[in-house]
Amino acid sequence: MVNRIVLSRLVRVATLVAVGVAIVYYRHELWRSLVEITNLGAIVLLVLPLFLLWNWVASFAWLDLHTRLTTGSVPSVWKLSLIRMQAQAVNLIVPMASVGGEILRSAILSKQTGQTAGTTSAVLLDKIADSAAGVLFALLGVLLALSQGIDSSPTTTIVLASMSASSVLLVPFALRMLSTHLGRRESRLALSLAPIFETPGRISVGFYRAMAWHMAERILMAGEIYLAMLATGISAGPIDVLFITAILTAYSLVFFFVPGQVGAIEAGIISAFASLGLPTSAGLTIALVRRARQLFVVAAAMALWGIRRRQEELLVPIEPEDVP
């Protein structure tokens, strides 16, 4: 436990130092991007409804897996979408290697359904499907761009190689860890993930369907980059937009342990823009647009959290006072 705490603190300190150095190094470009923010076109406002759309689409992946792993009433896709939004906010502000939000998703739905095992299994598989779809999308997007003559920077190549190597190395490790825990039937993890192995054929179909939904989510996420570039007056084709989104996806997967991927996403955008011959200040403007949208997510999630807490307080039965 102590080692984890120390490691977490080191990551936060390293992140702050790296961000500070980057701000100093790119101070002129950052200033220009701040000026460009004030001149953005109104089309940038479409980023918010687009986010709600892709979050809704991604919720179908979770819904499909949840339906296959649990019994009883099925939650609406809009309800799952709102829970996802709260989970994303947690992942942005809590330094838990992007798993804090998944714990929240499982906790909220487990409390409402009373089926901890099935709910936990669905959240875990949804997270794995999301990551697998991200790796596939990043590789396909970059390969498509390279086939069109777009050259990736050395940094981007290293990140893509790291992402691919991590995927290959982490899968055997994860399977070994699962087999170890599942071998001990009394372990909490074994009990939580038992529904996955009860009907493997049915679950595998749901998993691939979830990957397809998350691929659709990634494509819609590319729309955010396209709208932000239009708002800044940059003309970009579909291949360029897919390339930028693929690079952002790769950076977010490799630097998942950085809280909110602060600095990592910005580095990914700068790298992608450099490969396309676009100015750094424009890339930072796009990054600021994304951060503004994330602030909206955090604010909306806190509002939803407050509403739910208020509803829970109103539902608590009031015991009558004893009459003497």
Side-chain angles (χ1 to χ4, degrees):
M1 180 64 69
V2 176
N3 291 335
R4 292 182 181 179
I5 294 175
V6 171
L7 182 60
S8 176
R9 290 177 178 175
L10 287 175
V11 169
R12 278 181 281 180
V13 170
T15 300
L16 290 174
V17 172
V19 170
V21 171
I23 289 176
V24 173
Y25 185 81
Y26 290 108
R27 60 187 182 279
H28 300 299
E29 292 83 358
L30 182 59
W31 175 253
R32 282 195 291 270
S33 67
L34 290 173
V35 174
E36 291 175 3
I37 283 286
T38 61
N39 298 320
L40 290 178
I43 195 173
V44 75
L45 297 177
L46 294 177
V47 165
L48 294 180
L50 180 61
F51 161 73
L52 296 176
L53 175 60
W54 89 56
N55 192 52
W56 178 72
V57 167
S59 298
F60 278 100
W62 185 15
L63 177 63
D64 193 347
L65 291 167
H66 181 81
T67 304
R68 293 170 184 272
L69 289 162
T70 60
T71 58
S73 60
V74 179
S76 68
V77 68
W78 287 110
K79 181 177 183 178
L80 296 182
S81 179
L82 294 177
I83 296 176
R84 270 180 55 90
M85 189 182 300
Q86 296 174 68
Q88 290 167 8
V90 170
N91 286 336
L92 286 171
I93 60 179
V94 177
M96 290 183 63
S98 298
V99 298
E102 316 316 314
I103 296 174
L104 178 66
R105 281 205 288 165
S106 179
I108 292 177
L109 216 53
S110 295
K111 183 177 181 181
Q112 296 175 358
T113 63
Q115 301 181 60
T116 303
T119 299
T120 302
S121 298
V123 170
L124 175 64
L125 285 178
D126 183 52
K127 182 64 175 179
I128 295 174
D130 183 22
S131 300
V135 172
L136 183 61
F137 178 85
L139 292 176
L140 290 178
V142 172
L143 290 175
L144 181 61
L146 293 176
S147 68
Q148 299 298 313
I150 298 176
D151 296 326
S152 62
S153 65
T155 304
T156 297
T157 303
I158 293 173
V159 169
L160 288 171
S162 300
M163 180 191 69
S164 303
S166 299
S167 302
V168 173
L169 294 175
L170 286 177
V171 168
F173 174 77
L175 291 176
R176 182 177 179 181
M177 182 190 72
L178 285 176
S179 64
T180 301
H181 282 276
L182 291 173
R184 302 196 301 268
R185 294 296 178 181
E186 74 282 358
S187 73
R188 182 178 300 179
L189 183 60
L191 295 174
S192 297
L193 302 182
I196 296 177
F197 301 93
E198 291 175 355
T199 54
R202 188 164 175 262
I203 299 307
S204 63
V205 173
F207 180 80
Y208 290 122
R209 284 167 59 95
M211 279 190 63
W213 281 115
H214 284 300
M215 284 294 288
E217 174 196 11
R218 300 286 177 181
I219 294 173
L220 289 172
M221 290 174 69
E224 179 181 60
I225 301 298
Y226 178 70
L227 290 174
M229 294 180 75
L230 281 182
T232 56
I234 299 175
S235 178
I239 301 299
D240 296 335
V241 174
L242 284 175
F243 174 72
I244 295 171
T245 310
I247 297 302
L248 290 181
T249 301
Y251 271 74
S252 65
L253 290 171
V254 171
F255 297 100
F256 70 94
F257 54 88
V258 177
Q261 283 84 51
V262 175
I265 295 299
E266 287 73 15
I269 292 181
I270 291 174
S271 176
F273 269 54
S275 298
L276 296 172
L278 297 173
T280 299
S281 59
L284 289 174
T285 302
I286 305 301
L288 290 176
V289 170
R290 293 187 78 258
R291 291 299 179 188
R293 188 262 300 161
Q294 290 176 339
L295 288 176
F296 163 78
V297 173
V298 172
M302 292 181 66
L304 290 171
W305 184 275
I307 292 172
R308 191 174 73 253
R309 289 293 299 273
R310 179 59 177 169
Q311 290 176 339
E312 290 176 352
E313 291 175 359
L314 293 176
L315 291 175
V316 174
I318 301 176
E319 298 181 359
E321 297 181 359
D322 295 332
V323 179

